[in-house]
Amino acid sequence: MKKILILFAHPAFQKSLINKTLMEAIKDLEGVTINNLYEKYPDFFIDVPAEQKLLTEHDIIIWHHPFYWYSAPAIIKEWMDLVLEHNFAYGTNGRALQGKWAMSCISTGGRKEVYSAEGKNRYTINQFLTPYIQSANLCRMKYLPPYVVHGSHLLNSEQIKKHADDYRTVIELLRDNKIDAQRLNTIEYMNEIIEHDA
């Protein structure tokens, strides 16, 4: 069984029905640790040794946050700047994260079709996530396709529940090592395993 660390960041969590529902769906899962960064560090004074210890104790790291201005809320960047230190996470002697998996779980206000070369936002989700993909690569981690909830403000209660159930399925499959790591390079494969297990 793989141990999963959810690095959760939402500065307005109580207003986000989709993220509350996603978190509710996974909070009781064995082997899953939820690290709520805004709750833990309201002053942004991040305990770097404690965070690094958490990273070394887990096999899969998930950045879970709303997609703010085509990126993440500020505390995620602060966490990355401080915690992913040279000679810990990267560099000649920085191999603490080598071989671990990384992934993003994000919610967007925009519909799926706006995240394309032809769409309003001009770029795909994976293009916007390039800093996370490359950060994982630099740390010698494998970056998995993101779990994305599009058009979060437009979803009805049934659709929200479906996303939450799917998210739980993905987390369980990752935890139980039931995913083909060699094929984990496309969003299509992630969608395929969700539908297969539904």
Side-chain angles (χ1 to χ4, degrees), residues 29-143:
L29 287 177
E30 182 185 356
V32 175
T33 302
I34 296 173
N35 190 13
N36 188 330
L37 296 178
Y38 275 106
E39 183 179 274
K40 192 173 180 181
Y41 303 114
D43 54 7
F44 273 57
F45 292 136
I46 293 172
D47 185 339
V48 172
E51 294 299 309
Q52 290 179 343
K53 184 173 184 291
L54 272 177
L55 288 174
T56 60
E57 293 170 346
H58 291 80
D59 307 298
I60 301 172
I61 314 304
I62 298 178
W63 292 297
H64 181 148
H65 57 85
F67 208 43
Y68 276 12
W69 284 102
Y70 311 108
S71 186
I75 201 166
I76 291 281
K77 182 63 164 65
E78 181 77 353
W79 182 93
M80 294 178 81
D81 288 346
L82 298 177
V83 176
L84 302 181
E85 289 182 311
H86 183 261
N87 284 334
F88 169 76
Y90 70 99
T92 303
N93 300 313
R95 297 180 179 270
L97 306 181
Q98 183 172 339
K100 296 180 186 290
W101 293 359
M103 176 180 160
S104 296
C105 171
I106 57 176
S107 56
T108 74
R111 295 178 185 272
K112 185 176 182 178
E113 56 267 22
V114 305
Y115 290 96
S116 67
E118 301 77 25
K120 181 180 176 181
N121 290 325
R122 300 174 54 209
Y123 301 100
T124 67
I125 286 290
N126 274 341
Q127 287 173 311
F128 282 117
L129 290 174
T130 297
Y132 301 91
I133 297 168
Q134 185 54 30
S135 295
N137 289 338
L138 183 65
C139 296
R140 301 178 176 91
M141 302 172 77
K142 179 177 181 62
Y143 187 83

Side-chain angles (χ1 to χ4, degrees), residues 127-172:
Q127 287 173 311
F128 282 117
L129 290 174
T130 297
Y132 301 91
I133 297 168
Q134 185 54 30
S135 295
N137 289 338
L138 183 65
C139 296
R140 301 178 176 91
M141 302 172 77
K142 179 177 181 62
Y143 187 83
L144 310 181
Y147 184 86
V148 185
V149 178
H150 287 287
S152 58
H153 306 302
L154 308 171
L155 301 174
N156 61 37
S157 57
E158 185 178 321
Q159 291 169 321
I160 289 172
K161 183 181 184 310
K162 173 73 164 64
H163 279 294
D165 290 344
D166 288 348
Y167 188 41
R168 183 180 174 98
T169 296
V170 168
I171 298 299
E172 288 176 326

